[in-house]
Amino acid sequence: MCVFVCLRIDYRFDGMEKKLRVGVLASGRGTDLQSIIDASEKNMIDAIVVVVISDQKDAYALKRARKHNIKPVYIDPEGISRKKHEQKIDETLKKFN
């Protein structure tokens, strides 16, 4: 399962097009993530994935992110409350805003 989080609209380097900056939360293979990456790279959508966050250290989605030069982030949920884990996710997303 993937959850897509819009961080903000940003200008591309040419200053002409606006691109949505997207953070993706994934815990598995990241097949939906790959579809978004492919569409972004082919300019089929006005979005760019800037970070992929997972609570699974070995999630294939993190490998997909690395392959496409997208920042992969693992946030370990063990030993902390759900609220604290979500706060860590929020802090990470804000770094890419």
Side-chain angles (χ1 to χ4, degrees):
M1 181 174 123
C2 285
V3 176
F4 306 97
V5 180
C6 172
L7 300 175
R8 70 181 170 126
I9 296 175
D10 201 8
Y11 288 96
R12 284 186 54 188
F13 297 113
D14 60 16
M16 301 291 282
E17 287 185 64
K18 291 182 180 181
K19 291 276 188 175
L20 253 146
R21 295 170 56 84
V22 177
V24 178
L25 310 181
S27 60
R29 296 201 43 81
T31 51
D32 291 335
L33 165 66
Q34 188 64 57
S35 295
I36 296 295
I37 292 169
D38 291 345
S40 175
E41 289 178 349
K42 294 175 184 174
N43 291 315
M44 295 170 65
I45 59 172
D46 292 329
I48 183 170
V49 180
V50 295
V51 63
V52 175
I53 302 171
S54 182
D55 63 352
Q56 302 293 317
K57 187 177 182 178
D58 297 324
Y60 193 74
L62 296 175
K63 292 178 185 177
R64 289 182 193 271
R66 283 186 204 95
K67 180 179 177 185
H68 292 275
N69 297 313
I70 299 167
K71 178 70 175 177
V73 178
Y74 165 65
I75 300 178
D76 189 354
E78 293 297 318
I80 60 173
S81 68
R82 180 182 179 120
K83 182 176 180 176
K84 181 65 176 169
H85 186 253
E86 289 175 356
Q87 285 174 339
K88 287 185 174 194
I89 292 169
D90 189 49
E91 291 167 6
T92 301
L93 289 170
K94 285 179 181 176
K95 291 177 185 176
F96 291 89
N97 190 4

